[in-house]
Every structure is written in structure tokens, then in C-alpha cells.
Amino acid sequence: MKRRTFLLAGLGATGALLLGWGLLPPRQRLRSRRGLPTTGGQVALNGWVKVAPDGTVTIIVPKAEMGQGVLTAVAMLLAEELEVDWQTVKVEHAPVDAIYNNIAAMIDGLPFHPDDTGRVKRTARWMAAKWIREFGFMNTGGSSSVTDLWEPMRDAGAMAREAFRAAAAAQWEVPAASCRVERGAVLLNERRLGFGELVGTVLEHVPSEWTRKDLSQYTLIGRPQVRLDAASKANGTAVFGLDAAPPDAKYAAVVLPPTLGATVAGYDEAAAKGRPGVRAVVPLAGGVFGHVPGVAVVADTWWHASQALEALAVRWTPGEGAGFSSTAAAADLEARATRGDGRAFKSTGDVIAAFKRASFSVEGFYAVPYVTHAAMEPVNCTVRVAPDGVDVWVGTQVPGIAVKAVAAVVGVEPETIRLHQQLLGGAFGRRLIVDFVAMAAEIAKGVPGTAVQLLWSREQDLQHGIFRPMVRAKLVGALDGDGKLLALQSASASQSMVQGWGTRIGDPIMANIPDKTTIEGLVDQPYEIPSLRVIHDTVELPVPVGSWRSVGHSYTAFFLESFLDECAAVRQVDPVQYRLGLLGDHPRAKAVLTLAAEKAGWGTPLAPPAAGGRVGRGVALHWSFNAYVAHVVEVEVSPENALRVRRVVVAIDCGLVVNPDGVRQQVESGVLFGLSAALHGEITFEQGAARQRNFNDYPVVRLAAAPVIETHLIMPGDGPPGGVGEVAVPGIAPAVANALFAAGAGRVRSLPIRLAAPEATS
């Protein structure tokens, strides 16, 4: 009884502490734990901004720049509040610190519908924000960067602005309210003090309270700005991961497993060491943060290292995945989706009753393959293990996890690791995985005191990547006599991206949590369907899977938007009008769909095709990452059934627009990325190995095949900034597929799109 009393008392105390902690407001995100490093007389006003005596303002950005323009967009938030001259702004990557943890991405991952405004959702978001602030991690993903930093960056800028105002007022012995701040200076009548002139005293005047500017006062946000990284990328001075060149660096090439799960049985070390320029051969045990086993050669140049790999003559022990076939796995996924006995992620209304009273039913079976990221810069990482600490030069979306991976491999405390964040030559989710960072650390550990740069070849980058899962889905709808959708049931099957990621980083919660991303895009759309049931069967396969640009939305939009087009066709209703009829009380969704249709000339005749060809328009609407996007696509099909996408019109409502040019660039990028996957993207496995090796058999859309892309923004936008980087990807595949149906080329239900031969079409 005493023990029971003690346990109950302990649990009660723990519950009380947890409740008390939950009621407290989230901790501040303004001051970093260690403070920012400063040079040349700089002062750090908080964890986000430093000012130098010459007036240069350095803004700290905790997000990875991988082409999406985040350095510029995020800097604009702080610069707007600080009232600084944009020409004096510089940016630096942030150190690893809890104030930079990505709260928005994790909150968006909670299993709530966007329309839900109830107390349960508010409480869950509140608690999640507090937890992630303390125990989360820095990351760039989920189209969340501007959303996540919308509050802290503006607060940091406003705090710094008021500090400079107060410092100048104290020097002039006047009330701070009588002074104004403009373009990096404090003004009072004819008197002027630049920020640089005030750095000696400004820290004495950092306020505890401040007021953010009103939207009507913005002079920077909402106006096109030239990207801060544009000049360096144009003149070649931008430093990417591959450009990291510590003194006396050596270079590593690796032999990776020929089949899934294979391990090293032996190799000829002496033969490889005898090759020109070779300095060391390092065996790789792997197993840390998803890092696969293999053998590395370290040499004076990467060319020397790669040329010595063949001499290793590595012998392999096959693993459980040696016989894996994506064709056989696809058949199993199809059977699972057909049975529909997976986990019910959402169930509203009475689907069974709706089908009993329906006048019509529509059924569609959809398929997407494994795809990979194919970023232009293959994965790479440079590491030096030395007595005074460990240095890591890498472009990563998760710097804190990268540090943990290196610490685990080298056997040091994470605090002793100096991470130098580099620009990324593309990522699309691949650099959320730190397998290559762990591999680089293991190689560098084998040659202590030497900086070693690991680079995977293009073939390795494609064949040994972290893939988007292969998915099969069956959608069935019940329609009344007027064609209204009464009920929809979706049953799908695939691997889990989140569980795969959690397994690789050693997070038991993420490795076992029900994965919302498998069905996102089906359960959270603005369509008002009375009865909805969404089922997913999560399977385990030996192929490593993870996030790919727009994650689950990248395929669920294809399923749902293709299916809705099929429903409209069955009832012979215009596809745009059919969707508008399902949107009910969703004005933002209606607005983007209407705008895209209007700008595309929906309902007007298309420009005639080449002799004997056919043309068609298709539409898709999708909500993802807090943005509504509508695509209207024009296609042309030749007499030989060759497809050309002629024009893509996109309307987007992503909330408040920070940099309009940046949004347009990301829409164009998303359209081309999604179009590449829709037309070409497919990784197949036979006998445990990926068959595609390079851009000759994993092509992307080239300039000559790129369509005209028109982007129309709803400005200034409703509410705070939403996502941009991924939101134009999901809708392009279904819009193309629907346009092909309109052109008489048949219904497309699987990706990549492969049109039937002319004889079959007839």
C-alpha cells in the first residue's frame, strides 16, 4: 500500500507539473543559448541580427538555401521591422540552437483538418509548439520556413529598431517617441545617427516591449526584391557544399552495396593503395543514421579516388533485399489497396448508406512509382576530425541532426562539433537525410587530422538515394442523380516516409507513429463531401523511403483530382463547375480556381494543333502547406501520340506574399519539378538494385520541352504567409492527365504518363 500511495502521489505530482508547464507561455525565440559570435565591433541585438560599426546589418537565417530564395524572404521579415537600408543587409546561416527549431513544420504535421478551429486543435498546437521549442530540431522542409519565422523575425527586428531609437534618444536627451527610424538611421528634425554610430551604446537600451508595424506601413514586404544570393550565383562566388575547400583537403569516393541490404565480405586494400594519388582505404561499417556499409578510397583528387575503386574488387554478402522486385511489390500493394483493410485515418458520415442510395458510382485505380530527388548537386560532405574538435562542411536541411550523426560516429559530444552550413545545389527532401554525413564522418575518422570531402557519383546519387514510396490507391465515389458526390472512399498502400525517416535517425516515436503524410491531400482538402473514408495500409519493404518535394501531396493530388475529373465526365459536367459545386463555404479555394480558369481562357477555343494533332485543357485544385493552388494545363498530342505540354496557368493564394518574385520563381520551379516526375520519373528495382543510373534513363524536363508558365498571385493574401516551395508540385500531374482526357487521348491513371499507341487509342 505504501508503494502504491507513493506511485500515485508521484504520478499526481508529475501530472500537476505537466499541467503547469502546459499553461505557461512558450519560451522566447529571441535570445540564443550561447549568443551569436561577433567580429569587427559588431553587436548582436538578439539571436537574429548583428550590426557593425559601418552600419552593415547581418541577419541570421536558420534555414537552408537550396534555390528557393529563403535567405532573401526571411531577411525581408526582419529588415522590414528594423527599418534598415536593404542595400546594407547581409545574411549568415544560424548556429545550432533551440530558438531556431522549426515549430511550424511540426505543428502542420498534427492530424487536424485546416477547417478545424476547435479547442482540441488549439490545445494540441499550443502544447506542440512548447515541446518543439525545447526538444525539436532545426529543419528546412514542409514549405514552412517563412511561416515558422514570421513571428520571431519580426519581433527581432522590432526589438532592434526600438533599441536604436532609444539609444539615439538618450544621446540627444529627448523622448524616444519623438524620434523616427528610417533606412538604418534614427532621425530627429535635422539630426541623424546611423545604426553604425550607435553600436557602442545600443545594448544598454534593448527593450523588453515593442510594437510590430501594421501591414499598411510595410515598404519591403510584398514588393519584389532581388535575391541576396543572386549576384554570387551569377558570378560564381557562391559557396556550395562541393566548393568547401579546407587547406590540404583530400577527397573520397566510395563503393556502395550493389543490392539492398548487402554487406562487405572482403576487398583488396593493397591493390587500391597502389593506385596513383591514393592516401588511404577506409572500410565503412555503416548502420548509423541510415548510413550503408561500403569501402572508401581517399586520394589527392576525387578523380584519383574514383579511379581506384575498381581495384578494390569488393566482395559482397547479399542481404534480405537482394531479390527485391518493384514489379512484384507493386502487385502486393495493388492487392492491399483493393482489399481496403488498412488503417482508417478518417471516417466521416455514413459511406455505406451513401452508396446504398446513390444513383451512380465511379471507381478509379491509381498508381505512382518510386521516384528520386535527382538534385543537380549530388550529395557530399567534408569532415575533419582533429584533436581540437570536429569540423563539418555540408549543405543540409537538418543541421542539428547532422551534428548528432557526426557525434555518434566519431564518439564526441555534439557541442565540440563546428558545423559550417553551405548552400545546397537542390535538395527536395533528400538532404533531410544525413546518411552521407555519417558516412563522411566515418571516412574522416579513419584519416584523423585530414579534411576529407566525400562525393557520391551521379549514378550513386540516383541508385542509392532515399526514394518517394511507390503507392497504389483505389478510389470509389457515390453520386446522386445530379452527379453530386455523396461519398468517397479511398484505400491505398505504401511504405511510410515518416517511419522510414524515424528509423534512420533512431527516433522510436517517429519510427512507429501513424504516418499522416501517407494520406495527406485526401483528408484535408476544401471539398465538402458528406461522407468520407480514407484508409491506408502501411507496408515494410527494403527500399529506403523519405520525404520528396510536397511529400504525400505529390501523389494524393493525382489520385483525387484525377478521380474528380472522372466523376465530372460520368455526369458530363464541366470539370471547373463540378469542383466549384463541391467547394461550398471555401471562398479562397473558389477564388484561385476561378482565377486560374479565367486567366487560362477556360471554355474558349484552344489554339489549333499541328496537322492531325489534338489539343485539350485540364484543371486541378489542391490545398497543401497552407496554400491554395489551381493549375490549368494545355496539352497537344501528335498523330503519333507524342505529348507536348504547351501552357501552364497557375493561380496561388499563399497568404501574405513576402517577395512576389520569389513566389513566382518557386511556382515555376514546382511546375517543372512535378512535370518531370509526371512525364518521366520512375525508379524500378530488379534483383535488389535500382535500374536507373543517370539522366539518360531518369530524364528531367529540358528547356526545349518546358511549357509557357504563367503565375497569378492573390495579393496581399489572406492571413500570415503560407508555404510556397512545394505547393505547385501536386497539381501539375493531374492537370496534365485531365487535359489528355479532354484531348481524347484516354484516361491516365498511372505515372509516369505513357500514352498508348495510336492503334490502341482508337
Side-chain angles (χ1 to χ4, degrees), residues 450-470:
T450 302
V452 181
Q453 183 182 91
L454 166 67
L455 168 65
W456 285 14
S457 68
R458 171 63 61 195
E459 289 77 11
Q460 290 172 330
D461 197 59
L462 283 179
Q463 294 188 302
H464 295 272
I466 307 296
F467 305 92
R468 187 193 71 180
M470 174 172 58

Side-chain angles (χ1 to χ4, degrees), residues 97-112:
D97 193 279
I99 67 166
Y100 308 124
N101 289 350
N102 190 334
I103 293 174
M106 297 297 107
I107 287 179
D108 285 347
L110 295 173
F112 295 102

Side-chain angles (χ1 to χ4, degrees), residues 263-275:
T263 55
V264 176
Y267 57 94
D268 190 340
E269 179 176 352
K273 281 187 173 180
R275 292 295 183 95

Side-chain angles (χ1 to χ4, degrees), residues 29-30 48 78 148-157 212:
R29 293 184 71 188
L30 289 178
W48 303 87
L78 192 149
D148 182 54
L149 300 181
W150 172 241
E151 301 273 348
M153 285 301 245
R154 289 186 300 146
D155 279 337
R212 300 180 193 143

